[in-house]
Amino acid sequence: MEVSVVEQRYRAVLEVRAGAHVTEVAERFGVSRQSVHAWVRRYEQGGLGALADRSRRPESCPHQTPDEVEAAVCEVRREHPKWGPARIAHELGRLGVAPVPSRMSVYRVLLRHGLIEPAARKRPRDSYLRWERDEPMALWQMDIVGGMFLADGTEAKVVTGVDDHSRYCVIASVVARATGRAVCLAFAAALRQFGIPGEVLTDNGKQFTDRFGKGGEVLFDRICRDNGITHRLTQPRSPTTTGKIERFHGSLRRELLNDAVPFADLAVAQAAIDGWVADYNTARPHQALGMATPAERFSTTQAQADGKLLPLRLPAALALSAAPAASPSPA
């Protein structure tokens, strides 16, 4: 018959109380002398019930998130299911919730309540080489993203551009086909609105370069050359070089495109993009900017001053074309 833990400890206590040496009792029961002494002390203080296993959980935990803060975290997440831990912590601080939980505390709360899935383990931040231009309008990153479907079943594209220093979206133009001409029209509209950046960084798409073709000059290259813009190209298969525009695309897909129903036409799609971009630029805090908004770090003053000295030069075919809608102006 199997002996319970309490019964075993009780027998050890009885032997000690009967005069047996603690060391001998400890050896016989396969435990340390300290354990036997503890059993005897607990029995004397609380009787047989005191010999049962005790919970090791502390009576209080000063680092545990208060119940009211935990409830606020869950409420905000349910109201804004696309907000991550950093955004939720930031918004709770703005709402006056105290104490303001850390990003990891919010993450653990969301995980505990089943409001998020465990995140895949990522490379540590210090393994990435992070770079940023010192001022706005020094460099734009440009690219093209899909995933915007229309009611007729076709997939439209979005020509995108962000300012490297501020992450401000300077281009978000919906096009039926991402041809070189469509990309250049979107680029030209942004140049008219914001001024001329010092550099533009793109991948090696044929809309941007003929690097892997015959090596000639495409229309995008000509616009850059005519306006003194240095056109920089990424190395093949190195998407992290344009990490800021890729991160922008991730936010756009997650917060708008993934859950959107097909748009009636290009105009409706453009209106939806414009609304999202306005919020992204002026209201949405950015973790990489210390939770500031892109508009708070973006300025076109110097670029506009340079533009007065060096007016925008565009090929005649683009200068006479109607420009597509551009992103909202800085607040």
Side-chain angles (χ1 to χ4, degrees), residues 159-289:
V159 182
T160 58
V162 296
D163 177 69
D164 182 82
H165 174 76
S166 64
R167 276 69 164 182
Y168 190 92
C169 175
V170 293
I171 305 172
S173 180
V174 182
V175 296
R177 294 176 57 244
T179 62
R181 177 180 174 79
V183 168
C184 288
L185 281 170
F187 185 36
L191 295 177
R192 290 190 187 97
Q193 182 174 3
F194 298 110
I196 301 172
E199 302 173 276
V200 172
L201 175 65
T202 72
D203 62 17
N204 296 279
K206 62 183 180 180
Q207 300 91 340
F208 301 113
T209 181
D210 195 34
R211 179 181 183 180
F212 297 110
K214 297 180 180 179
E217 182 182 68
V218 298
L219 186 58
F220 190 90
D221 283 324
R222 180 181 171 186
I223 295 173
C224 290
R225 175 173 57 81
D226 287 348
N227 292 280
I229 302 170
T230 300
H231 183 196
R232 299 193 179 277
L233 296 170
T234 64
Q235 291 299 316
R237 295 177 294 279
S238 58
T240 55
T241 306
T242 50
K244 297 181 182 70
I245 194 73
E246 293 296 338
R247 176 65 182 271
F248 174 81
H249 289 171
S251 298
L252 176 61
R253 291 190 186 97
R254 184 175 60 256
E255 298 176 13
L256 177 65
L257 299 184
N258 287 352
D259 297 329
V261 297
F263 299 95
D265 51 35
L266 290 176
V268 173
Q270 185 66 61
I273 288 287
D274 289 344
W276 183 86
V277 168
D279 180 78
Y280 176 90
N281 279 341
T282 63
R284 184 182 185 277
H286 200 298
Q287 190 174 353
L289 304 180

Side-chain angles (χ1 to χ4, degrees), residues 288-304:
L289 304 180
M291 302 311 287
T293 64
E296 291 173 323
R297 290 189 64 176
F298 185 65
S299 171
T300 61
T301 304
Q302 187 60 46
Q304 289 172 343

Side-chain angles (χ1 to χ4, degrees), residues 74-183:
C74 295
E75 182 180 357
V76 171
R77 172 68 181 192
R78 291 187 178 102
E79 291 180 359
H80 303 279
K82 297 186 184 301
W83 286 6
R87 176 72 184 272
I88 292 174
H90 175 75
E91 295 296 339
L92 289 177
R94 293 179 59 185
L95 292 172
V97 172
V100 179
S102 67
R103 182 183 65 84
M104 281 307 300
S105 293
V106 173
Y107 172 77
R108 286 191 288 267
V109 169
L110 297 177
L111 197 61
R112 187 159 55 246
H113 289 270
L115 295 175
I116 59 173
E117 296 294 329
R121 192 173 184 86
K122 298 180 180 180
R123 286 172 53 186
R125 289 180 180 270
D126 57 10
S127 69
Y128 292 94
L129 180 61
R130 186 174 180 272
W131 55 273
E132 177 184 283
R133 289 295 188 266
D134 295 332
E135 59 185 10
M137 297 297 292
L139 171 70
W140 288 357
Q141 293 189 17
M142 286 187 61
D143 203 354
I144 302 164
V145 63
M148 177 160 265
F149 293 94
L150 304 181
D152 62 4
T154 60
E155 180 184 10
K157 306 291 185 181
V158 187
V159 182
T160 58
V162 296
D163 177 69
D164 182 82
H165 174 76
S166 64
R167 276 69 164 182
Y168 190 92
C169 175
V170 293
I171 305 172
S173 180
V174 182
V175 296
R177 294 176 57 244
T179 62
R181 177 180 174 79
V183 168

